[in-house]
Amino acid sequence: MAGARDRTRGDAGPVPQERDVRWAVLGWTGLVASTAASAPSTWRDWPTTTTLTVLVAVALTATGQFLLGRSRARRTGAPLVAVGVVWPTSVWGVVDHGAGPFLSWTLSGAAWALLGIAMLSYPSDLPWTRGVRIYVAVLVTVLVPVNVAQALVSQPEWNGFAAGAWWPALLPSRSWHVTTIVIYSTGCLALAAGAISLFVQRMRAASGIDRAALLPALLGVSTGAVIGAVTTSGQVLVASEQAWAAMVATQSIALLALPISVALTAVRTRLADVEMTKTVGQLVRPATPDAVERAVRTLLHDPSATVQFWSPERSGYIDGDGQPAVSGADRHRMTVEVHAASGDRLAQVVLDPRLGHHASLVDWTVTSIGLALENAWLQAQLRAQLGEVRASRTRILDAQLSERRRLGRNLHDGAQQKLLALSMRLEAARTRTSDETTQRELTEIKDQLRTALADIRDLARGLHPAVLTQAGLGAAVAEMVGRRSVPVLVDLPAQRLDELVESAAYFVISEAIANADKHAGAGTVSIRGRLLDGDFVLRISDDGHGGADADGAGLRGLADRVSALGGSFVVVSPPDGGTRVDVRIPAP
């Protein structure tokens, strides 16, 4: 089975079991204690509000414990447990004696600060940017020091609490009280907007896996932030026992959105695990490079993921088509090297660097598709070798074409010119002599020389007609059919094509017309060509007696020439049914 080595920072590993137990004991013990500390009057006078706070506290504590059990969610889980522990104290604000109202006032602000810290690290202890750190500093400042300062400059009844409650009114002042209320209320609304904005930005910057988890959380954060800010601002402005109880009840309901969003994410993750298992199972059959790459993109929610295969012959990586791959050593990308069971280098998977927070999932993915990767590696090597063969054949054709042109020029500029000069000298010699026998012999020699010149012209034209290079396929075919006795209908595009494509098409047409003229007894020949989807499509048909041998030397050689260019060559020639040659050549 293939193995993997992650070049990025590894996963933090599982959370020790002892730490889980410690957090569980502290969390649930604290929750029981804060709930038990609620005065009997809160259960008697405000049963609905008190029940809601306890239910929400249980939900938040359970959610925190669940997240603490994940290897990369401690910065989210621990604050949620703390919020669950202190949230039952929020209902103490309706108590008419003791320090309950002051504790409720200060701890509720601290709870919201902890909640903000928890959700800004969700879902996998995402690192904080500079903007997030500044936001957290402002969040804590507004919800804790400013909140406490507001208590220091006020009396309990100014904030809607019972006058007999204990309150640290060190510097009570109506003006300072109003000032702190404005700062606190405005700060809460601004913090709510900031939380939503930061969460949206985090979603945009997150990897596909984290983005899927953040969407339900965004709804929960938006609901909690808006309702929390509005109700808090409303309570400090109205300042009554009823307003405090209504605020606590409303905020408790809003906070339920957070455990629900985490639960939805957990269900979605479970369904995704099932889908991942199904995707890996589908790769049991022989996998192609494209199928493996699609599987990696699906499993890791990374549409930019690529799989590159090691080529020992090239000492470098190739893509699934066997072509040299773009270097995966880009420092802005995450690269996972994959080795075969023998230890030989097999492939590398190039991923979104944000997946570094899910290194264990990346390793699992690469390990799960290890066998499929080895099969795909074999196919990639085969495609690379086939590509080399095609490239080699194309280079041979190119060399042959160049040699044909050179021989044609040599015949035209060399032997043909010399024979023309010799013909002119013979004519001059014939006119200078008066001997009839000599004149007759010189005339016969000149006629034979003229025949030889025609043969040389035909040979040069057969090697590579100059008009094909100068004017293109249409002009070359028009010149060729003018020398044939069989009528030929020609319909070819006017634009120039690649010289190898034009050369191959020309010789296919030449051979087909020659066969129709000399062997098939055809009355007419039709030549039609066009560009279609990046290919040059050619059809030559005649109405002869058919029966052409597609495996004959002439047609077989043309088929090889077309195949070397990555094209197809099909001959249909039933007896007494005419002959049709269909050619399709990629036309770059």
Side-chain angles (χ1 to χ4, degrees):
M1 181 177 292
R5 179 172 63 84
D6 194 341
R7 293 183 181 173
T8 62
R9 178 171 58 91
D11 192 271
V15 180
Q17 185 177 4
E18 294 79 4
R19 184 178 298 170
D20 287 347
V21 173
R22 185 166 61 249
W23 272 104
V25 171
L26 290 174
W28 292 108
T29 301
L31 175 60
V32 171
S34 63
T35 302
S38 297
S41 61
T42 62
W43 291 97
R44 182 184 65 249
D45 299 335
W46 306 96
T48 302
T49 302
T50 305
T51 302
L52 280 174
T53 59
V54 174
L55 289 177
V56 170
V58 171
L60 290 172
T61 303
T63 302
Q65 292 290 339
F66 168 75
L67 293 176
L68 281 169
R70 297 173 58 190
S71 61
R72 300 188 63 88
R74 292 189 293 276
R75 281 188 10 219
T76 300
L80 282 182
V81 171
V83 174
V85 170
V86 303
W87 190 250
T89 65
S90 61
V91 77
W92 295 357
V94 298
V95 178
D96 58 3
H97 63 278
F102 174 70
L103 292 176
S104 178
W105 177 270
T106 54
L107 290 178
S108 62
W112 280 103
L114 287 170
L115 197 63
I117 293 172
M119 297 315 295
L120 288 173
S121 299
Y122 186 78
S124 55
D125 282 359
L126 296 175
W128 285 356
T129 63
R130 183 171 180 270
V132 172
R133 289 194 295 269
I134 293 174
Y135 175 84
V136 169
V138 175
L139 174 74
V140 174
T141 301
V142 171
L143 295 182
V144 180
V146 172
N147 200 17
V148 173
Q150 187 178 354
L152 297 177
V153 298
S154 66
Q155 296 289 350
E157 59 270 22
W158 297 355
N159 296 293
F161 301 118
W166 180 85
W167 199 261
L170 298 181
L171 299 171
S173 168
R174 283 287 186 179
S175 60
W176 281 107
H177 175 58
V178 171
T179 300
T180 54
I181 284 178
V182 171
I183 294 175
Y184 188 71
S185 301
T186 305
C188 287
L189 294 173
L191 287 171
I196 296 173
S197 175
L198 284 175
F199 226 77
V200 171
Q201 293 177 23
R202 175 144 290 190
M203 279 193 62
R204 291 175 178 174
S207 64
I209 294 176
D210 287 332
R211 191 178 299 118
L214 284 170
L215 181 57
L218 173 62
L219 300 177
V221 168
S222 301
T223 302
V226 171
I227 293 179
V230 171
T231 54
T232 298
S233 300
Q235 188 278 329
V236 297
L237 293 174
V238 175
S240 69
E241 186 177 280
Q242 291 76 14
W244 182 267
M247 177 199 73
V248 172
T250 305
Q251 290 182 356
S252 296
I253 295 173
L255 285 179
L256 282 175
L258 295 178
I260 291 173
S261 66
V262 174
L264 290 175
T265 300
V267 172
R268 191 182 188 282
T269 301
R270 179 58 182 166
L271 295 176
D273 290 343
V274 175
E275 186 65 26
M276 289 169 68
T277 303
K278 179 180 177 182
T279 301
V280 173
Q282 291 175 344
L283 291 176
V284 173
R285 63 178 69 93
T288 64
D290 292 340
V292 170
E293 190 167 86
R294 285 196 302 271
V296 171
R297 293 178 175 181
T298 299
L299 293 172
L300 297 178
H301 297 268
D302 181 7
S304 68
T306 59
V307 179
Q308 301 171 356
F309 302 90
W310 178 254
S311 173
E313 292 81 6
R314 299 187 182 186
S315 296
Y317 287 98
I318 57 176
D319 60 21
D321 294 325
Q323 301 300 313
V326 177
S327 174
D330 186 349
R331 63 185 179 89
H332 298 298
R333 301 287 289 168
M334 174 183 174
T335 302
V336 180
E337 291 185 354
V338 187
H339 298 269
S342 62
D344 295 334
R345 189 181 298 182
L346 185 67
Q348 67 178 11
V349 183
V350 184
L351 302 168
D352 186 329
R354 293 170 294 187
L355 286 170
H357 301 293
H358 301 279
S360 58
L361 176 60
V362 171
D363 285 342
W364 178 89
T365 299
V366 173
T367 302
S368 299
I369 64 174
L371 180 59
L373 266 176
E374 294 192 25
N375 291 333
W377 179 84
L378 293 174
Q379 293 196 34
Q381 302 306 309
L382 179 60
R383 291 179 180 180
Q385 293 170 5
L386 289 175
E388 285 292 336
V389 171
R390 292 193 185 100
S392 176
R393 293 173 68 181
T394 301
R395 289 193 295 270
I396 291 173
L397 284 180
D398 194 28
Q400 289 179 347
L401 180 61
S402 299
E403 185 64 16
R404 282 174 174 270
R405 284 199 296 261
R406 187 187 68 81
L407 291 174
R409 286 194 302 269
N410 289 345
L411 287 173
H412 180 273
D413 300 337
Q416 183 174 317
Q417 296 301 322
K418 291 177 181 178
L419 290 176
L420 282 172
L422 182 58
S423 176
M424 294 173 65
R425 291 181 62 186
L426 286 173
E427 178 62 22
R430 189 183 68 80
T431 57
R432 285 196 302 268
T433 184
S434 58
D435 183 69
E436 293 182 358
T437 301
T438 301
Q439 288 182 342
R440 187 167 54 253
E441 290 178 350
L442 290 174
T443 300
E444 291 176 357
I445 294 173
K446 183 179 178 181
D447 291 340
Q448 293 174 1
L449 189 59
R450 185 180 297 111
T451 301
L453 277 169
D455 291 340
I456 288 176
R457 289 193 184 96
D458 289 340
L459 177 60
R461 193 179 293 112
L463 287 172
H464 190 82
V467 67
L468 181 61
T469 301
Q470 297 167 0
L473 180 62
V477 171
E479 182 187 70
M480 175 176 56
V481 301
R483 303 191 304 270
R484 296 293 182 181
S485 59
V486 61
V488 181
L489 303 176
V490 180
D491 181 14
L492 294 172
Q495 64 263 46
R496 295 297 302 269
L497 305 173
D498 179 81
E499 60 178 358
L500 288 177
V501 175
E502 287 186 337
S503 176
Y506 175 84
F507 288 112
V508 168
I509 293 171
S510 177
E511 181 70 16
I513 293 177
N515 289 338
D517 191 14
K518 296 179 181 178
H519 308 298
T524 59
V525 178
S526 173
I527 302 171
R528 298 185 183 278
R530 59 176 175 147
L531 287 169
L532 179 65
D533 297 332
D535 294 339
F536 178 60
V537 180
L538 177 66
R539 170 170 288 184
I540 307 108
S541 58
D542 65 58
D543 57 359
H545 53 67
D549 183 9
D551 294 324
L555 292 177
R556 185 72 270 166
L558 293 174
D560 290 341
R561 178 187 289 270
V562 171
S563 177
L565 296 175
S568 60
F569 184 92
V570 179
V571 177
V572 180
S573 185
D576 300 323
T579 300
R580 187 181 80 243
V581 178
D582 288 323
V583 176
R584 191 180 188 110
I585 308 174

